Amino acid sequence: MKKYVLLVLVLCLLSGCQNSSSKVITFPFPDVWRNQYKVSVLLDPSQHTYQSKIELTLKNTSWDVWDKIVLRDYPSQFKDEKDGGLSLIQNVMTSDKDVLAYLRLDDPTIVEVMLAAPLAPGEIITISMDYQAYVPELNARFGYVENKADAIDFYLGNSLPILAVYENGQWVCEPYFSDGECFYSETADYLVTVTVPNNFTVIGTGDKLNTVNGENQKTIEYTASSVRDYALVIGNDYQCVSQMEDGILYNSYYHSANQNIGIGSLITLINETKALNKQLGEYPYQTMNTVETYMDMQGMEYPQLIMIAEYMHGNESTIRHELVHQWFYNIVGNNGYQVAWLDESIATYLAEKSLSEHIGRIDQSYNEYPDENSYVNAMYFCGGAMYTRLANRFGKDQLIAILQDYLLTYAYSQAATKDLLGMLIRGLGEESLEIFKDYFDETTLTEASTQ
Ligand SMILES: [Zn+2]
């Protein structure tokens, strides 16, 4: 037996001992249909607007015939703010030059485009349009900020109209709110060019392909695959520090006065990503950006790009929280309005230490909580505490293994409460219901337990 043990030891030393605890989890982009967006963006900083030409190629992946499609146009949410306005949508047409009518609903972020002919299941259509958005003066995830003389930042989260999710026979159109995430989308591919004056820096979702410099303007081209949204930050006071590690280009963008914080944020970004690669599975994209902003919210996640408030930039737990969303929100999607616990609670647990005292339901939609404080308490503090209690009771390794399984099962798709809760109950056993009953109602638990 000793020889055998010795042989195993030698083999382990030679091979790096690839046991189950050191297995590398990856999330390769699946070879399936994804909708494609080809977009050009031209920013006019003095008018606080940008004009786009958008070409969307989409497939009816449902079993129903579509006579319309629905776009979510979040920039129009800010129509009543200073410099805001309803986005201008013109020349909506198919690749066969059929002109399409569109209807903006009472919720200005919902735009229905009537199709010239019904789109049968499996059919593909390309729709193009001219689009102009108005950026409000707001220190928010969509807005511009002039923080000092001659300096301006544009935060363009959810910058482009994207296709709503069609689920259970209807288009999902949740209302907008600013206290958290209300977004829901499928992964898609983007090819985006952004044109700005030469003195502006552009930070976008995706990998930078090239930059073409003109006399007064420059155009930067990005490609992004399997991402849930498209965000941009553009400003004329940004500097960048970058590092390539394990095939990923990490960028930290900071305002010119904050170089030390920018460098510290880069180090944090790299270290936290490496830690999450080991814990959750490898970050599948080639570029990851952290951007210092003057937003009032601490941080905001977008694919391959996190916006961090200046007062939190460099803060490890804030950067880690927004980074976790690259896995829980971007790789596995969920309806941010209805079931925010699927991404917010785990992001809080993995970024915060020792939350365990909070108890309360986390399986409700935004409108079911009486006020903002109750909602934030539920999604972040109660949800974070639930995971802490589960880890204390059943072991963190077992909990993380279930979360890895969840990520692998639903990668680049969308999950619901019963999916994650069902996996947790099955993985941790009946005893876990003692903890879950403090956070979910009986119907939800029964549905998750019996699926
Ligand atoms: Zn979050």
Side-chain angles (χ1 to χ4, degrees):
M1 284 298 284
K2 282 196 171 176
K3 271 188 187 170
Y4 176 73
V5 171
L6 184 63
L7 178 62
V8 170
L9 181 64
V10 169
L11 287 173
C12 278
L13 289 170
L14 289 173
S15 68
C17 204
Q18 299 276 325
N19 60 29
S20 59
S21 64
S22 63
K23 72 177 184 230
V24 176
I25 296 171
T26 58
F27 305 102
F29 302 143
D31 187 17
V32 296
W33 172 266
R34 281 185 294 278
N35 295 333
Q36 296 147 34
Y37 295 81
K38 275 178 71 176
V39 182
S40 64
V41 176
L42 172 64
L43 178 76
D44 184 337
S46 62
Q47 296 300 309
H48 314 122
T49 66
Y50 55 93
Q51 293 178 0
S52 294
K53 286 190 178 299
I54 299 171
E55 189 181 285
L56 164 59
T57 301
L58 66 98
K59 182 179 182 177
N60 180 350
T61 52
S62 78
W63 296 104
D64 300 330
V65 175
W66 291 351
D67 56 4
K68 67 179 180 189
I69 61 157
V70 175
L71 302 174
R72 299 310 302 271
D73 171 29
Y74 292 109
S76 289
Q77 176 66 29
F78 305 94
K79 63 185 175 62
D80 297 325
E81 304 285 347
K82 177 180 175 284
D83 288 343
L86 287 177
S87 306
L88 197 59
I89 297 175
Q90 293 177 301
N91 304 319
V92 185
M93 60 180 69
T94 67
S95 49
D96 294 331
K97 304 296 179 199
D98 289 325
V99 176
L100 304 180
Y102 78 87
L103 181 68
R104 194 185 289 278
L105 303 193
D106 289 343
D107 177 339
T109 71
I110 304 172
V111 175
E112 295 184 346
V113 176
M114 312 307 160
L115 300 179
L119 193 68
E123 281 189 336
I124 292 170
I125 189 172
T126 296
I127 295 171
S128 60
M129 69 188 75
D130 296 330
Y131 176 81
Q132 180 165 348
Y134 300 88
V135 187
E137 184 175 18
L138 268 186
N139 54 347
R141 59 193 169 201
F142 191 80
Y144 75 85
V145 174
E146 293 173 297
N147 200 51
K148 63 181 187 183
D150 301 324
I152 186 166
D153 288 353
F154 291 87
Y155 313 130
L156 308 178
N158 315 94
S159 55
L160 304 169
I162 63 170
L163 191 68
V165 176
Y166 188 85
E167 205 170 62
N168 302 321
Q170 58 186 353
W171 294 95
V172 180
C173 292
E174 309 293 4
Y176 184 91
F177 65 91
S178 57
D179 314 328
E181 279 69 87
C182 46
F183 312 115
Y184 190 37
S185 56
E186 296 183 328
T187 55
D189 293 348
Y190 289 82
L191 185 63
V192 178
T193 60
V194 186
T195 301
V196 294
N198 274 332
N199 59 328
F200 277 74
T201 299
V202 179
I203 308 129
T205 292
D207 307 317
K208 200 182 286 188
L209 289 179
N210 60 59
T211 302
V212 177
N213 290 301
E215 197 172 324
N216 302 309
Q217 293 183 323
K218 61 184 176 186
T219 298
I220 300 117
E221 188 176 23
Y222 291 92
T223 179
S225 185
S226 304
V227 295
R228 291 192 188 272
D229 212 326
Y230 201 86
L232 288 161
V233 177
I234 302 172
N236 60 355
D237 186 36
Y238 276 116
Q239 294 189 6
C240 180
V241 57
S242 305
Q243 191 161 322
M244 182 74 95
E245 289 269 342
D246 304 328
I248 300 170
L249 178 64
Y250 295 92
N251 300 312
S252 170
Y253 290 88
Y254 55 91
H255 294 109
S256 57
N258 297 336
Q259 187 183 47
N260 287 343
I261 299 173
I263 292 169
S265 294
L266 178 69
I267 294 166
T268 301
L269 183 72
I270 294 170
N271 289 342
E272 297 296 336
T273 305
K274 284 182 171 180
L276 290 170
N277 283 342
K278 280 190 185 150
Q279 203 167 33
L280 302 176
E282 298 208 333
Y283 176 79
Y285 306 96
Q286 291 174 17
T287 309
M288 183 62 217
N289 302 292
T290 180
V291 189
E292 181 188 83
T293 69
Y294 297 123
M295 287 192 312
D296 60 354
M297 63 165 61
Q298 293 184 10
M300 181 63 204
E301 72 276 15
Y302 287 103
Q304 298 183 257
L305 188 164
I306 55 177
M307 301 179 184
I308 306 288
E310 185 193 33
Y311 64 92
M312 298 304 285
H313 207 210
N315 178 283
E316 286 181 12
S317 71
T318 304
I319 290 177
R320 186 174 175 90
H321 178 109
E322 305 308 339
L323 258 178
V324 172
H325 283 304
Q326 299 301 313
W327 285 259
F328 295 90
Y329 145 69
N330 192 29
I331 294 178
V332 175
N334 56 278
N335 184 326
Y337 188 91
Q338 295 287 343
V339 286
W341 81 273
L342 284 174
D343 63 312
E344 290 305 345
S345 299
I346 189 65
T348 305
Y349 165 64
L350 291 175
E352 303 291 338
K353 301 209 167 42
S354 59
L355 276 174
S356 61
E357 303 302 322
H358 297 75
I359 285 175
R361 279 189 64 182
I362 61 174
D363 57 341
Q364 295 174 291
S365 60
Y366 177 77
N367 59 311
E368 291 177 295
Y369 291 93
D371 51 43
E372 181 189 336
N373 283 345
S374 310
Y375 171 78
V376 169
N377 183 58
M379 293 305 130
Y380 298 82
F381 294 100
C382 295
M386 178 190 76
Y387 281 113
T388 304
R389 290 175 63 195
L390 292 171
N392 290 344
R393 176 80 171 269
F394 301 99
K396 188 168 181 179
D397 287 351
Q398 195 178 351
L399 183 60
I400 294 294
I402 296 167
L403 294 173
Q404 290 171 344
D405 195 15
Y406 167 77
L407 287 165
L408 283 168
T409 304
Y410 296 99
Y412 307 109
S413 181
Q414 292 76 242
T417 285
K418 62 180 169 51
D419 301 321
L420 178 54
L421 185 56
M423 290 180 98
L424 287 165
I425 294 171
R426 286 194 299 278
L428 300 173
E430 294 273 309
E431 271 180 58
S432 62
L433 292 170
E434 275 178 44
I435 294 175
F436 287 128
K437 70 177 170 41
D438 288 337
Y439 301 97
F440 299 92
D441 84 346
E442 222 173 293
T443 313
T444 311
L445 284 174
T446 305
E447 189 193 13
S449 302
T450 55
Q451 66 162 335

